[in-house]
Amino acid sequence: RSFAQSLLRFLGFIFWATAAVQAFGGVLMILMFNNYRYLFQESYLSLPGWLALATALILLPTGVLAISISVKCSRKKQGTLMYLLLLLLCLEMSSAALARSYCIRTASQLESAMGYLVHQHNWTCSQDPGNSAVDVMQRKMQCCGVHNYTDWLQAPSSSWYHPACVPESCCKEKHSHCRGDLGHVEQLSEQGCLKKLEDKLCFAMMYVFWCCTLLSILELLAGVSNGILMRHQPFHDLSIL
């Protein structure tokens, strides 16, 4: 019993700390999909992030209850803690499963969506930096095309108007005088946007996945510890249920 009390107290403090970690993961995923929502048709891809935020909010009172029960057992508190742990377990397993599946699904969607944007984009070999979604993405992520700069040479608009250049947003930041001229390929970003964006999205989703998985294990330990304490103070009636 003393070990269960000590473990429950320790897990209570851990729940407080992991609430911030979980909230960070949820916000990261929500912002990531909001920033690149023009690449996705589904609006529910940020759902694991919202579930992670809900989990973070519930972790705070759960930590308070765990610490309180470890100091002084209460039937109502023990029952409430069990309900909260069960709710958290459902939320986290759902969030982890969705994050894992979305990480696999978004790869094919990203390639087709980015290929369409490159195909439809019009630009000229000028000093106009461009403010389209493709230009903003390339400038922000320091990338060029879907896989590399040659994707722009295959775009229909490049055949007649500007066969010897790519959008200026493909230029590296350190080359301020770059205008997308293919005669100076070393001034262009080597890596395509697809790989960089896939890595960013999968990092956010796998972050949420592993946080939820580890938290589920800790909550099972908290449930077992609470169950041990409940055995030493059995319920005389079922009204609390």
Side-chain angles (χ1 to χ4, degrees), residues 3-216:
F3 175 76
Q5 285 179 323
S6 301
L7 180 60
L8 199 58
R9 185 182 304 111
F10 172 74
L11 290 174
F13 289 111
I14 291 295
F15 288 157
W16 284 353
T18 51
V21 176
Q22 190 81 339
F24 172 77
V27 171
L28 179 66
M29 179 174 286
I30 293 170
L31 292 178
M32 192 78 69
F33 279 104
N34 283 341
N35 290 336
Y36 302 102
R37 60 182 178 273
Y38 53 86
L39 293 173
F40 303 98
Q41 297 179 351
E42 297 88 352
S43 59
Y44 55 79
L45 290 175
S46 60
L47 180 59
W50 290 108
L51 291 178
L53 281 181
T55 300
L57 292 176
I58 300 175
L59 277 171
L60 296 175
T62 304
V64 173
L65 277 175
I67 296 172
S68 177
I69 291 172
S70 66
V71 176
K72 182 179 180 181
C73 292
S74 168
R75 296 178 182 178
K76 292 183 179 180
K77 291 179 181 179
Q78 288 173 328
T80 304
L81 179 62
M82 281 298 194
Y83 283 127
L84 288 179
L85 290 174
L86 181 61
L87 176 60
L88 284 171
L89 194 62
C90 293
L91 286 174
E92 285 165 2
M93 295 307 292
S94 300
S95 183
L98 290 174
R100 180 62 180 170
S101 62
Y102 289 171
C103 183
I104 299 172
R105 288 181 53 192
T106 52
S108 59
Q109 294 183 18
L110 277 177
E111 185 169 10
S112 59
M114 293 176 69
Y116 176 78
L117 288 178
V118 169
H119 186 83
Q120 296 295 323
H121 185 51
N122 291 319
W123 81 98
T124 57
C125 294
S126 66
Q127 296 184 1
D128 181 16
N131 294 313
S132 67
V134 180
D135 290 313
V136 173
M137 178 174 61
Q138 291 187 147
R139 197 174 297 112
K140 183 178 181 180
M141 299 179 63
Q142 284 294 285
C143 58
C144 186
V146 181
H147 300 96
N148 51 51
Y149 73 92
T150 59
D151 293 318
W152 288 108
L153 306 181
Q154 302 169 8
S157 55
S158 66
S159 303
W160 302 99
Y161 302 108
H162 31 77
C165 73
V166 295
E168 190 179 329
S169 55
C170 285
C171 296
K172 296 178 181 177
E173 287 184 346
K174 61 182 180 180
H175 298 292
S176 58
H177 59 281
C178 173
R179 295 295 176 263
D181 186 4
L182 290 178
H184 301 281
V185 180
E186 70 280 357
Q187 298 178 357
L188 306 178
S189 299
E190 296 90 357
Q191 193 171 1
C193 297
L194 177 63
K195 182 68 170 61
K196 283 195 171 184
L197 191 53
E198 276 183 0
D199 291 343
K200 288 183 68 173
L201 292 175
C202 277
F203 170 79
M205 287 185 278
M206 294 310 295
Y207 178 93
V208 171
F209 171 80
W210 286 112
C211 281
C212 291
T213 302
L214 293 175
L215 270 172
S216 299

